[in-house]
Amino acid sequence: MFLFSVGRNSSILAVAIHLVAEYCHALAGERPFLRRIRSTVAPFSLPWYENGLKFDCTGCGKCCKVDGDVWLAPEEVDNIMTHLGYCDRGESSIDDFRMKYVKAEVSPSDGDNCQSWLCLKRKEGACIFLDPLGKCGIYDARPIQCSTYPFWPSILENQEAWKEESVLPDSVDVREGTNDRHWSPDLGGCEGIIIEKAIESEIGLDNGNPIHRDDLVDLLDEGVESSIVARQEIISKMRAAKKHWKRFPVKEIKESTWYL
């Protein structure tokens, strides 16, 4: 048995007792023990999104219309070509793919075009693969840049950056004197960060009736909840986006026109 003196060691005793209690709770099937230890011993080390983030894609397709580039890594080119039905990787197939969908290319110094990064074309102010219904034509093979949004490192840097990425649907009024805004091609933004399909269905946004921001808060208070993306999934997507961006070989482009 250990005896603790009063004073400095009293705080150690308090933490030890608390950790024992947390361990008992963990055994009872509550929050994972390691996470409870982290929140007790080193709360300053926790990400600001430790408890997850409210997000549910609304399917608006606006993230495919932002002014910006989508760069494909070599393996993503292969995946998309397979998805589109290119049966071989012969020179004619690759040339056809480039002619239809690619506007720029970064090739390795050894000249191996199979290891090139390709930048997708845009069509009528949107990604070349956005179909007339506003849906992704290669959704099952979409690149990492798309599948990890909005969980990019730049957006998860802090809570303020996350809030800045959120936008109101066009049918929702922007209240004067607030930082609320609608999506735009130059600034982008994500509707799913603050409003999800459950609310959209509840208030009938698709019928064109405007609704005030305060009404959305009331609906949330009444129990219309958004989907919670868990911390583990957030970190997984953020790391995938960061790794993808760091692999891109042209530093000048990463520092000026393309970042995640």
Side-chain angles (χ1 to χ4, degrees), residues 57-70:
C57 178
T58 64
C60 67
K62 291 178 179 176
C63 55
C64 308
K65 300 177 182 178
V66 176
D67 291 339
D69 293 329
V70 176

Side-chain angles (χ1 to χ4, degrees), residues 58-242:
T58 64
C60 67
K62 291 178 179 176
C63 55
C64 308
K65 300 177 182 178
V66 176
D67 291 339
D69 293 329
V70 176
W71 284 94
L72 307 178
E75 67 276 9
E76 293 179 316
V77 175
D78 288 341
N79 293 339
I80 293 173
M81 289 184 67
T82 298
H83 182 80
L84 294 174
Y86 286 90
C87 298
D88 62 75
R89 295 296 180 274
E91 187 172 337
S92 60
S93 295
I94 296 176
D95 288 344
D96 182 70
F97 180 85
R98 284 188 170 91
M99 185 179 301
K100 288 182 178 178
Y101 305 114
V102 176
K103 71 173 184 179
E105 179 175 353
V106 174
S107 300
S109 57
D110 62 6
D112 183 3
N113 290 334
C114 291
Q115 296 302 311
S116 296
W117 284 69
L118 306 181
C119 185
L120 293 178
K121 287 181 178 179
R122 293 173 62 80
K123 181 180 179 182
E124 298 178 359
C127 173
I128 187 71
F129 289 118
L130 191 68
D131 67 25
L133 298 178
K135 304 300 180 183
C136 177
I138 57 168
Y139 186 81
D140 292 336
R142 66 195 187 283
I144 289 175
Q145 178 175 341
C146 305
S147 64
T148 57
Y149 179 80
F151 303 107
W152 294 348
S154 61
I155 299 175
L156 292 172
E157 184 174 357
N158 51 52
Q159 220 165 348
E160 193 60 34
W162 179 257
K163 289 180 180 179
E164 288 177 0
E165 190 68 13
S166 69
V167 296
L168 293 172
D170 294 338
S171 298
V172 178
D173 292 333
V174 173
R175 186 172 54 185
E176 292 186 10
T178 69
N179 292 325
D180 290 343
R181 65 183 179 91
H182 290 140
W183 176 91
S184 65
D186 54 336
L187 295 178
C190 179
E191 295 179 0
I193 291 177
I194 61 171
I195 184 170
E196 61 282 352
K197 293 177 181 177
I199 298 178
E200 200 169 18
S201 174
E202 180 76 16
I203 63 180
L205 287 180
D206 53 358
N207 63 19
N209 296 325
I211 184 169
H212 198 277
R213 182 76 168 84
D214 290 342
D215 295 325
L216 296 180
V217 176
D218 292 339
L219 284 169
L220 287 171
D221 291 339
E222 291 171 7
V224 181
E225 297 181 354
S226 58
S227 299
I228 302 295
V229 181
R231 169 183 173 274
Q232 292 89 339
E233 182 177 352
I234 294 170
I235 291 178
S236 175
K237 290 189 174 184
M238 179 187 67
R239 287 176 175 171
K242 184 176 182 179

